[in-house]
Amino acid sequence: MISRPSKQRSPKIIYVTPSHQFPLGMTMSLARRTALIDFARTCDAYIFEDDHNSEFRYTGPPLPCLQGLDNAGRVIYAGTMSKILYPSLRLGYLLAPEQLVEPMIKIRAVMDQHSPAIDQATLARFLTEGFFLSHIKRMRKLYSDRREFFIKQFNNLLSKYFILEIPEAGLHFVAWLRRKVDLPVITRVCAEIGIRPSPLSSCFIKPELNPALTFGFAAWSRAQIREGLAKFASSLNAKLH
Ligand SMILES: Cc1ncc(COP(=O)(O)O)c(C=O)c1O
């Protein structure tokens, strides 16, 4: 059940990322999904389901998307090609309840008319000729392998300084610093050796959580992961005790 103070106004739309919250990486449980749909129905609100990264889930039970669970036309589902193919393609898609299709087309028309026709046509052929599914399968296997390798290497080399949080889905990890005071040295070492994990604090309006860094693993081969983490660990070992 989702409860809220009765004085608060009811939401008109609820934005969620159930497969993978960015940046912390949680996946929404089935119980929370059904509770959210019930809540939206009670408030007469829409849910905007941003399901980026749903294709890259490595562990945990299979979970239906909110759009699949909803039978009251309350969910707008958004998917993206940014993770599956590449971000600069700038193509994604929406599944909208019938009553929203026309208004959404009108909004899109005044925003920027439409996405590039040639890119869309090429993607359509990629989908209809069966390459899309086999590509996802191949990438899931590749990323799963890199993910396992990254976890093993990171924990072997860097567990003295970080606690690695392991999400069920996605293409990055959050590594929490064991000691807050190490942050300036760790930040300096990253700059010196040319690795660029993002500080978790860059995602916050107020940095209220402990310091952490986010590491992408999907774009790197095993050799690059091994080399990068080994260099990072040896520089930290030289500067921190
Ligand atoms: C929360 C969230 N939604 C969606 C996306 C994908 O956005 P786009 O399709 O605009 O590249 C991202 C990209 O990292 C994201 O972090």
Side-chain angles (χ1 to χ4, degrees), residues 15 17 22 50 52 80 82-83 90:
Y15 169 84
T17 55
F22 185 87
D50 172 354
H52 81 293
T80 179
S82 290
K83 307 287 175 181
R90 306 312 309 138

Side-chain angles (χ1 to χ4, degrees), residues 29-118:
S29 68
L30 182 59
R32 293 286 293 174
R33 287 172 196 237
T34 46
L36 183 62
I37 289 175
D38 289 344
F39 176 71
R41 201 173 293 143
T42 320
C43 306
D44 204 18
Y46 283 106
I47 299 172
F48 189 94
E49 179 174 23
D50 172 354
D51 214 20
H52 81 293
N53 267 338
S54 60
E55 298 83 5
F56 298 118
R57 182 146 186 271
Y58 314 96
T59 55
L63 286 169
C65 61
L66 295 169
Q67 197 271 344
L69 290 170
D70 168 45
N71 54 15
R74 303 241 61 90
V75 179
I76 305 157
Y77 180 95
T80 179
M81 293 296 144
S82 290
K83 307 287 175 181
I84 306 168
L85 292 171
Y86 54 94
S88 59
L89 185 59
R90 306 312 309 138
L91 288 179
Y93 56 92
L94 290 177
L95 291 179
E98 189 70 40
Q99 67 277 18
L100 294 184
V101 172
E102 275 308 313
M104 282 183 157
I105 291 172
K106 285 191 181 136
I107 291 169
R108 181 70 204 266
V110 293
M111 280 166 70
D112 65 348
Q113 298 274 347
H114 53 76
S115 300
I118 293 176

Side-chain angles (χ1 to χ4, degrees), residues 136-162:
I136 290 180
K137 274 192 204 148
R138 203 169 57 247
M139 298 317 283
R140 195 183 288 140
K141 164 126 195 15
L142 179 71
Y143 292 163
S144 169
D145 180 62
R146 289 180 178 174
R147 176 178 178 274
E148 290 296 315
F149 188 72
F150 186 99
I151 295 170
K152 216 184 281 165
Q153 293 289 311
F154 193 97
N155 283 336
N156 278 346
L157 294 164
L158 289 152
S159 59
K160 229 192 307 178
Y161 309 113
F162 297 97

Side-chain angles (χ1 to χ4, degrees), residues 118-185:
I118 293 176
D119 293 353
Q120 289 188 75
T122 311
L123 179 63
R125 278 191 64 178
F126 191 68
L127 291 164
T128 52
E129 292 181 12
F131 296 110
F132 185 68
L133 280 181
S134 58
H135 173 72
I136 290 180
K137 274 192 204 148
R138 203 169 57 247
M139 298 317 283
R140 195 183 288 140
K141 164 126 195 15
L142 179 71
Y143 292 163
S144 169
D145 180 62
R146 289 180 178 174
R147 176 178 178 274
E148 290 296 315
F149 188 72
F150 186 99
I151 295 170
K152 216 184 281 165
Q153 293 289 311
F154 193 97
N155 283 336
N156 278 346
L157 294 164
L158 289 152
S159 59
K160 229 192 307 178
Y161 309 113
F162 297 97
I163 297 166
L164 191 66
E165 180 125 9
I166 301 174
E168 291 175 9
L171 305 175
H172 76 269
F173 291 110
V174 174
W176 299 95
L177 270 66
R178 287 192 185 273
R179 292 182 304 261
K180 286 185 192 183
V181 290
D182 291 347
L183 186 62
V185 174

